[in-house]
Amino acid sequence: MSGDGTSERSGRRSEGRVQPSAEQVRSGARPENMSGARPEHMSAPYEVVTMGRISVDVYPLQTGVGIEQVESFGKYLGGSSTNVAVAAARHGRRTATITRTGDDPFGRFLHLALRDFGVDDQMVTTVPDLMTPVTFCEIFPPDDFPLYFYGRVPAPDMQISADELDYDAIRSAGVFWATVTGLSEEPSRSATLAALEARGRSGITVLDLDYRPMFWESREAAREQVQKALPHVTVAVGNLDECHTAVGTDDPVAAATALRDLGITSAVVKQGPKGVLAADPTGTYEVPPTPVDVVNGLGAGDAFGGALCHGMLAGWNLERTVQFANVAGAIVASRLACSSAMPTTDEVEARLGDSDVR
């Protein structure tokens, strides 16, 4: 979607107004201790550094109806890469994110929320003349969650410049996580490529293949930029449509093979209701989906990403890591919000029923 309020939709609206349960509202509530104090332990080297979008997510507290019928909303920290940082922090990882906001009340809210979630915001800077983006959604479970982006033409998080990056923090991070959306326009495109090049394909360098058509002129234009980024990463993560954009096929085995043929160590292909296919030098693994009553599926992929970072840093094998990440994503899908719904390691362990997963 663009900043003029155009939207991204999938599927049709369901009928009737559904109120979330008290537990779901609690799980999706904003952070309660918005003190704004930066966590004492935050300093480089970080275990996880993400780079990309940030926004204020405004979610309806009534589901099953359009925005025109919603009576109340909740305000949350949002943006895919930012949510991944939050998700990793929930697993006890030292995290930071690189992004930009407007110099306005919404931007200040995002700084407060990041600190409260335990994500270092020192590399989150302001763009004085731009407004912080706001994203509205509608919730039609189980699989229709239209998004409406405002304030993204231009967006502050697309104004990240290569000359403002902390390359020492980027190089020293255990995981560096970048996104395809960050490649969609300048100067963010050059900054993202510069950050990936600085990593030198060392450590765990992830490209989230988050292709969003509203940010690109065409799929082919996106593929051209993705192909420039893939030689610099060790892990690629995406759904079938995103893999189609990256390597020209939405067959999961063929997509994983094509990504691995480009020198990527681990290819993770999310197949929705069919689960996840993951491949690395040890083999190819099929992980089935985790059954869940879906409330809001928008944050599931970000929870998956943060849990993936946690498992890779822990040194788990790929199959175990994806199993853990799959459960983390399912837990968030059963809740209303995204960032504030991210599960802890203990919550994921409890769902897995595996006390050995740490």
Side-chain angles (χ1 to χ4, degrees), residues 11-99:
R12 64 168 187 247
R13 296 184 180 183
S14 56
E15 297 296 329
R17 177 174 302 178
V18 179
Q19 296 284 350
S21 69
E23 189 278 330
Q24 289 162 352
V25 173
R26 285 195 298 271
S27 297
R30 57 168 272 180
E32 294 182 358
N33 299 312
M34 301 291 283
S35 65
R38 184 172 286 116
E40 293 294 330
H41 70 280
M42 283 298 159
S43 62
Y46 302 101
E47 292 178 285
V48 178
V49 172
T50 70
M51 179 175 173
R53 285 197 311 114
I54 193 169
S55 66
V56 175
D57 284 352
V58 180
Y59 286 1
L61 299 184
Q62 294 81 42
T63 66
V65 295
I67 285 179
E68 65 274 16
Q69 295 176 277
V70 172
E71 297 175 352
S72 55
F73 296 85
K75 178 172 96 272
Y76 310 98
L77 170 74
S80 180
S81 59
T82 304
N83 281 339
V84 170
V86 171
R90 292 286 282 171
H91 297 295
R93 298 298 178 179
R94 296 190 310 277
T95 68
T97 192
I98 301 169
T99 189

Side-chain angles (χ1 to χ4, degrees), residues 33-358:
N33 299 312
M34 301 291 283
S35 65
R38 184 172 286 116
E40 293 294 330
H41 70 280
M42 283 298 159
S43 62
Y46 302 101
E47 292 178 285
V48 178
V49 172
T50 70
M51 179 175 173
R53 285 197 311 114
I54 193 169
S55 66
V56 175
D57 284 352
V58 180
Y59 286 1
L61 299 184
Q62 294 81 42
T63 66
V65 295
I67 285 179
E68 65 274 16
Q69 295 176 277
V70 172
E71 297 175 352
S72 55
F73 296 85
K75 178 172 96 272
Y76 310 98
L77 170 74
S80 180
S81 59
T82 304
N83 281 339
V84 170
V86 171
R90 292 286 282 171
H91 297 295
R93 298 298 178 179
R94 296 190 310 277
T95 68
T97 192
I98 301 169
T99 189
R100 305 195 75 181
T101 72
D103 186 11
D104 54 28
F106 279 138
R108 293 191 287 276
F109 162 76
L110 294 174
H111 277 275
L112 293 172
L114 283 168
R115 297 173 191 175
D116 196 70
F117 283 128
V119 177
D120 197 309
D121 65 335
Q122 294 184 77
M123 293 183 283
V124 181
T125 58
T126 59
V127 183
D129 297 330
L130 297 181
M131 302 295 287
T132 300
V134 176
T135 304
F136 286 81
C137 81
E138 294 173 314
I139 300 176
F140 300 103
D143 59 1
D144 187 13
F145 310 103
L147 290 170
Y148 302 88
F149 294 90
Y150 294 87
R152 293 207 61 83
V153 181
D157 53 36
M158 285 292 159
Q159 307 308 308
I160 303 170
S161 298
D163 59 4
E164 74 177 76
L165 296 177
D166 184 339
Y167 290 102
D168 288 338
I170 290 168
R171 292 189 190 98
S172 64
V175 175
F176 179 68
W177 181 287
T179 71
V180 164
T181 295
L183 299 170
S184 63
E185 61 182 84
E186 295 288 1
S188 174
R189 177 184 300 152
S190 293
T192 300
L193 290 172
L196 291 173
E197 291 169 5
R199 290 281 290 182
R201 224 174 200 173
S202 63
I204 302 166
T205 304
V206 184
L207 183 64
D208 182 348
L209 305 174
D210 67 331
Y211 170 66
R212 295 174 182 260
M214 72 290 301
F215 296 149
W216 294 90
E217 293 181 3
S218 66
R219 188 185 297 272
E220 292 69 30
R223 183 175 297 139
E224 179 182 355
Q225 298 304 322
V226 174
Q227 291 287 324
K228 293 178 182 178
L230 286 173
H232 303 291
V233 307
T234 61
V235 181
V237 183
N239 62 32
L240 293 174
D241 185 64
E242 292 165 345
C243 288
H244 182 204
T245 299
V247 293
T249 178
D250 58 5
D251 176 82
V253 174
T257 299
L259 289 166
R260 296 266 296 118
D261 287 346
L262 292 170
I264 290 168
T265 303
S266 300
V268 180
V269 182
K270 296 182 283 188
Q271 305 176 79
K274 293 184 178 180
V276 180
L277 181 142
D280 70 0
T282 68
T284 299
Y285 307 95
E286 292 266 13
V287 176
T290 300
V292 66
D293 291 328
V294 174
V295 174
N296 182 2
L298 290 174
D302 303 333
F304 183 100
L308 192 74
C309 293
H310 176 62
M312 291 186 296
L313 287 168
W316 300 343
N317 63 48
L318 182 60
E319 183 177 27
R320 185 187 190 195
T321 299
V322 171
Q323 289 171 341
F324 184 89
N326 224 20
V327 171
I331 289 172
V332 171
S334 71
R335 298 172 175 176
L336 184 67
C338 294
S339 55
S340 53
M342 298 300 174
T344 64
T345 304
D346 286 345
E347 287 179 285
V348 179
E349 287 175 349
R351 183 65 188 262
L352 278 169
D354 181 0
S355 61
D356 293 332
V357 177
R358 295 284 187 266

